[in-house]
């Protein structure tokens, strides 16, 4: 994979504009693929999203839970190469794949950990680049070697063969950046995320899967449905995913712990799921917190006690409209 050596972290201050077109290999992300006659019905009985109604030009968030409603994986699901792909952090895939396969012996469905390359295309010109790769116009498009999936107005995911990835990068005039920039976009958009350390710790609503239309409350049964439905209709969920902002004088460790002020004391609030630190030491992160905290609660990093953090606004509502 020598072609990936040219990608480097982008040096961004918190006041800088983002590149109009950037591309990054998403090396910590991967996909589970599934094919077979029963792929739709089998997956429908496993995950929170409605697989049956997902058309070939759309993608959806979803979660896969254990019997108690705790999340093995949060993913983006889309049609891919005649089957489906579940795009998610690589660190989740081994356990997630084992859980998905548990009852597959009774169905005509095959799961695999894809060896395809994930490329993140970012910036105001991202859609123009994808338009040059495909004549299709949907939010999920077939391209040479795989699929292009719209994430938001500034981002597309390309899940393609390594040969196609190399060709796309070579022919593009995009800035070659590391996936840190993708992480920044994920944080700013409040993307539901999970990592291996927090598998089977949260129900889907605690990581805002319902807020991004990743839970269908009208579909049939699936693993963990009782807990997910109870959290909605009985108001039993007490946590949510938040964007937090502050400062950090040094790099932020993976799974760094955030503390909240309680009077004159500090108590553990939660471990970060993702973080981004700008060159001027401003920082952003995603963290699951109690959903009844005051908006002006004081927060800090446990290992950087001089830091000062606050809760920032999410780009979507956590209020239940139904």
């Amino acid at each position: 994979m020598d072609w990936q050596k040219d990608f480097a972290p982008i040096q961004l201050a918190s006041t800088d504009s983002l590149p109009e077109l950037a591309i990054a290999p998403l090396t910590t992300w991967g996909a589970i693929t599934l094919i077979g006659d029963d792929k739709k019905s089998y997956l429908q009985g496993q995950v929170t999203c409605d697989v049956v109604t997902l058309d070939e030009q759309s993608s959806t968030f979803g979660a896969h839970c254990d019997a108690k409603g705790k999340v093995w994986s949060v993913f983006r699901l889309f049609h891919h190469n005649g089957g489906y792909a579940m795009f998610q952090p690589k660190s989740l895939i081994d356990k997630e794949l084992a859980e998905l396969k548990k009852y597959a012996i009774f169905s005509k469905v095959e799961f695999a950990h894809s060896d395809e390359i994930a490329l993140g295309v970012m910036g105001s010109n991202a859609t123009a680049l994808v338009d040059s790769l495909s004549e299709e116009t949907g939010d999920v498009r077939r391209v040479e070697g795989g699929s292009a999936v719209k994430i938001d107005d500034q981002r597309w995911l390309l899940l393609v063969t390594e040969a196609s990835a190399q060709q796309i990068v070579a022919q593009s005039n995009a800035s070659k950046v590391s996936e840190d920039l993708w992480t920044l976009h994920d944080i700013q958009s409040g993307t539901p995320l999970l990592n291996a350390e927090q598998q089977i710790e949260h129900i889907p609503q605690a990581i805002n899967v319902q807020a991004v239309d990743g839970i269908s409350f009208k579909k049939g049964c699936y693993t963990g449905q009782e807990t997910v439905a109870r959290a909605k209709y009985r108001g039993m969920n007490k946590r949510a995913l938040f964007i937090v902002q502050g400062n950090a004088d040094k790099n932020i460790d993976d799974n760094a712990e955030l503390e909240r002020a309680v009077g004159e004391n500090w108590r553990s609030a939660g471990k970060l799921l993702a973080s981004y630190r700008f060159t001027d030491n401003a920082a952003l992160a995603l963290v699951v917190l109690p959903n009844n905290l005051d908006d002006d609660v004081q927060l800090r990093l446990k290992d950087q006690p001089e830091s000062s953090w606050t809760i920032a606004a999410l780009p979507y509502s956590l209020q239940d409209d139904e």
Side-chain angles (χ1 to χ4, degrees):
M1 296 191 180
D2 287 343
W3 62 278
Q4 293 190 24
K5 69 181 187 303
D6 295 332
F7 295 85
I10 185 171
Q11 300 300 307
L12 271 181
S14 58
T15 55
D16 288 345
S17 299
L18 298 180
E20 292 184 353
L21 184 62
I23 194 164
L26 306 180
T27 57
T28 67
W29 290 79
I32 291 174
T33 56
L34 57 155
I35 57 173
D37 293 345
D38 296 335
K39 60 184 182 294
K40 182 185 293 185
S41 58
Y42 183 80
L43 196 59
Q44 179 79 342
Q46 297 291 315
V47 300
T48 61
C49 54
D50 194 340
V51 183
V52 171
T53 60
L54 182 65
D55 64 59
E56 293 194 2
Q57 294 187 325
S58 303
S59 70
T60 182
F61 279 107
H64 181 217
C65 305
D66 69 1
K68 296 179 180 179
K70 297 297 181 69
V71 178
W72 285 110
S73 173
V74 180
F75 52 82
R76 184 178 289 272
L77 177 71
F78 52 92
H79 290 264
H80 178 67
N81 291 346
Y84 293 105
M86 303 167 72
F87 180 67
Q88 59 196 285
K90 279 183 182 176
S91 65
L92 305 177
I93 287 180
D94 285 348
K95 289 183 179 179
E96 162 70 349
L97 194 52
E99 291 299 318
L100 280 173
K101 286 181 173 180
K102 268 189 175 178
Y103 308 105
I105 190 172
F106 304 111
S107 301
K108 295 179 181 178
V109 59
E110 295 179 26
F111 292 92
H113 183 171
S114 173
D115 60 0
E116 293 162 303
I117 301 293
L119 292 176
V121 182
M122 296 161 276
S124 56
N125 291 333
T127 298
L129 186 149
V130 174
D131 286 343
S132 73
L133 301 176
S134 174
E135 295 182 357
E136 297 180 5
T137 58
D139 288 348
V140 177
R141 309 179 188 182
R142 287 169 293 185
V143 297
E144 183 69 30
S147 300
V149 183
K150 186 176 182 179
I151 304 300
D152 54 43
D153 289 341
Q154 295 284 317
R155 288 192 295 167
W156 284 79
L157 162 70
L158 302 177
L159 188 64
V160 293
T161 62
E162 184 165 1
S164 291
Q166 289 188 58
Q167 184 176 9
I168 291 166
V169 170
Q171 293 178 353
S172 167
N173 62 354
S175 300
K176 298 177 183 178
V177 303
S178 70
E179 71 174 87
D180 291 352
L181 186 60
W182 187 267
T183 301
L184 173 60
H185 279 281
D186 272 344
I187 295 169
Q188 291 174 326
S189 61
T191 300
L193 288 178
L194 199 63
N195 57 28
E197 183 171 311
Q198 296 189 42
Q199 276 181 299
I200 308 303
E201 187 171 320
H202 307 293
I203 65 171
Q205 288 98 323
I207 39 182
N208 300 2
V209 179
Q210 83 291 351
V212 293
D213 299 324
I215 303 175
S216 170
F217 293 98
K218 299 177 181 177
K219 62 178 279 188
C221 295
Y222 59 86
T223 306
Q225 181 193 19
E226 250 185 72
T227 299
V228 176
R230 201 158 53 236
K232 173 181 171 64
Y233 295 112
R234 298 185 185 177
M236 295 179 64
N237 177 48
K238 303 302 181 186
R239 300 179 75 78
L241 184 73
F242 290 94
I243 303 170
V244 291
Q245 60 189 7
N247 61 286
D249 292 334
K250 59 182 180 180
N251 289 336
I252 302 171
D253 294 335
D254 292 341
N255 298 303
E257 189 170 341
L258 199 68
E259 296 182 321
R260 63 185 176 100
V262 181
E264 296 182 357
N265 300 312
W266 293 88
R267 293 182 184 171
S268 176
K271 292 185 177 180
L272 303 186
L273 286 162
S275 65
Y276 186 91
R277 178 171 169 259
F278 295 94
T279 57
D280 55 3
N281 293 346
L284 292 170
L286 289 175
V287 62
V288 174
L289 298 172
N291 58 17
N292 61 352
L293 293 179
D294 294 333
D295 290 341
D296 59 353
V297 63
Q298 290 180 288
L299 304 166
R300 72 179 187 183
L301 294 172
K302 182 177 181 179
D303 65 351
Q304 298 187 47
E306 299 304 314
S307 64
S308 177
W309 289 65
T310 57
I311 294 175
L314 287 163
Y316 49 76
S317 174
L318 293 179
Q319 299 301 313
D320 193 341
D321 294 331
E322 292 187 23

